[in-house]
Amino acid sequence: MILDLEKTKIGIIGLGYVGLPLAVEFGKKYEVIGLDINDGRIKELQSGYDGTLEVSKEELAEAEFLNYTTSISDLSECNVFIVTVPTPINQHKQPDLTPLIKASEAIAKVLKADDIVIYESTVYPGATEEDCVPILEQQSGLTFNKDFYAGYSPERINPGDKEHRVTNILKVTAGSTPEVADFVDSLYKSIIIAGTHKANSIRVAEAAKVIENTQRDVNIALINELALLFNRMGIDTEEVLQAAGTKWNFLPFRPGLVGGHCIGVDPYYLTHKAQSIGYTPQIILSGRRINDGMGKYVVSQVVKLMLKKRIHVQQAKILMMGLTFKEDCPDLRNTRVIDMIQEFEDYGASVDVYDPWVDKQEANREYGVSPIESPQAGQYDAIVVAVAHEQFKKMGVEQIRALAKDNAVIFDIKYILPADAVDGRL
């Protein structure tokens, strides 16, 4: 079993928002081979460009020991494998472990005695040892904790955040034996400036990860529910939150759409596991229902405002400002803006989507949406500010209002415009 960091050669499977920043940091100190099944992704990285915008050209160049491939056979000499593939949910809101299973199957082809496989993907407690390890055993012919070992170190990447990067976010680590746990912790500690927290077991580390975002999800659900309540009472939610926020321990959450690869997904992994052992979570599922319904709620409010102004909803022209799941990044994963687009289209309205951050081909491939290059003045019956991109903030009230018809509805989900300048907001 390897315990010498100097002899470590790392294979990283999955070079997206999580895998690439990690590969770059490890690639400054260790031999690293990054694998991604997307040939286009590998070619862009080899050319020195990261389409996710998480890593700059200069940072890519600093990773002098990092190479890229689409072939698992190129990882045959690696002795540490780190899995950073997505763990999405399916249309029934059930965990989809397909990428994780395929990654495990691929690693099994090159797994050798004394190798360590570390998972970073978000899963429910037990998934690493109950779902992934058996695949590694069966397809490699090796025995777990005798011939090979496992670790878990959950990712904490925040897409678009240039302040909280992989090296300055404290890292949770775990291993399948005490000795492996020490090695995994030392490996990450060698690149993580913020330090590490060694969990007592892989299951503890898995549970810690999945509740991080579940906690945020429930907190946002509470604020969303308060927004629904205050709207009925004719009270401005933002003004209430500003007043309540004057207390030192009031948490600064805001209402809105809850999407992305973590907050809108992770709770379903925990509830799936809970239900599989005979427990039905109440608060978590209730929060999910509230947050998943916010897109339709916003559309219902916009439609009411349009009807009050005698604007025909059917064949109305709507401008959706923003498509990404959060501001100032191109990440489209699990964006809930799509819920509003589809709901407006169900009403018979025509929706233009404007987002200067998105890759238009990806938007079309993932959601069947073709974002416009730029909106034209005086064209829209309603405008929804869905994402707080810096470009939209700089436009301000006058430029955004200029895109609308004289009697149009302006609805601001993200509070980037003054309350008296819009017709509605959460």
Side-chain angles (χ1 to χ4, degrees), residues 27 86 369:
V369 171

Side-chain angles (χ1 to χ4, degrees), residues 87-89 159 257-266 288 324-326 331-337 367:
T87 42
I89 52 175
L257 306 177
V258 183
H261 69 299
C262 285
I263 301 179
V265 173
D266 294 0
R288 279 282 76 232
T324 60
F325 91 88
K326 64 177 292 187
D331 197 344
L332 290 173
R333 291 174 295 174
N334 194 38
T335 175
R336 301 303 359 129
V337 176
Y367 299 106

Side-chain angles (χ1 to χ4, degrees), residues 312-364:
H312 291 290
V313 179
Q314 192 173 30
Q315 297 183 337
K317 197 164 184 181
I318 313 292
L319 176 63
M320 191 66 62
M321 296 187 67
L323 180 61
T324 60
F325 91 88
K326 64 177 292 187
E327 66 278 1
D328 301 333
C329 80
D331 197 344
L332 290 173
R333 291 174 295 174
N334 194 38
T335 175
R336 301 303 359 129
V337 176
I338 193 65
D339 298 343
M340 294 189 294
I341 295 169
Q342 292 171 347
E343 188 73 0
F344 274 123
E345 290 176 344
D346 285 345
Y347 275 101
S350 171
V351 183
D352 278 354
V353 178
Y354 172 54
D355 192 321
W357 280 87
V358 305
D359 180 292
K360 293 178 174 57
Q361 290 184 333
E362 183 184 2
N364 191 272

Side-chain angles (χ1 to χ4, degrees), residues 235-377:
I235 301 173
D236 187 284
T237 303
E238 174 66 2
E239 291 180 5
V240 174
L241 294 175
Q242 287 178 350
T246 59
K247 189 179 181 187
W248 73 92
N249 59 354
F250 186 82
L251 300 176
F253 288 96
R254 287 297 184 269
L257 306 177
V258 183
H261 69 299
C262 285
I263 301 179
V265 173
D266 294 0
Y268 287 120
Y269 274 76
L270 187 57
T271 57
H272 168 81
K273 183 64 176 181
Q275 290 168 333
S276 74
I277 59 173
Y279 180 77
T280 301
Q282 301 299 316
I283 293 175
I284 300 171
L285 286 174
S286 178
R288 279 282 76 232
R289 285 192 294 271
I290 291 170
N291 288 342
D292 278 347
M294 290 307 290
K296 286 189 175 183
Y297 172 76
V298 168
V299 173
S300 73
Q301 296 305 297
V302 174
V303 168
K304 286 179 182 178
L305 291 167
M306 292 172 70
L307 294 176
K308 285 180 181 179
K309 291 190 174 189
R310 300 184 184 278
I311 301 172
H312 291 290
V313 179
Q314 192 173 30
Q315 297 183 337
K317 197 164 184 181
I318 313 292
L319 176 63
M320 191 66 62
M321 296 187 67
L323 180 61
T324 60
F325 91 88
K326 64 177 292 187
E327 66 278 1
D328 301 333
C329 80
D331 197 344
L332 290 173
R333 291 174 295 174
N334 194 38
T335 175
R336 301 303 359 129
V337 176
I338 193 65
D339 298 343
M340 294 189 294
I341 295 169
Q342 292 171 347
E343 188 73 0
F344 274 123
E345 290 176 344
D346 285 345
Y347 275 101
S350 171
V351 183
D352 278 354
V353 178
Y354 172 54
D355 192 321
W357 280 87
V358 305
D359 180 292
K360 293 178 174 57
Q361 290 184 333
E362 183 184 2
N364 191 272
R365 181 174 65 252
E366 295 297 324
Y367 299 106
V369 171
S370 299
I372 61 174
E373 195 65 40
S374 62
Q376 300 300 309

Side-chain angles (χ1 to χ4, degrees), residues 26 45 83 100 125 127 142 180 214 225 251 256 258 284 298 338 345:
F26 274 127
L45 291 174
V83 179
L100 207 58
L142 302 174
V180 171
T214 299
E225 186 165 48
L251 300 176
V258 183
I284 300 171
V298 168
I338 193 65
E345 290 176 344

Side-chain angles (χ1 to χ4, degrees), residues 15 22 24 54 88 98 105 165 185-186 218 274 314 326 353 412-413:
L15 296 176
L22 190 70
V24 167
E54 289 298 304
T98 303
E105 290 172 342
R165 310 293 297 276
D185 193 67
S186 297
V218 169
Q314 192 173 30
K326 64 177 292 187
V353 178
D412 182 13
I413 295 178

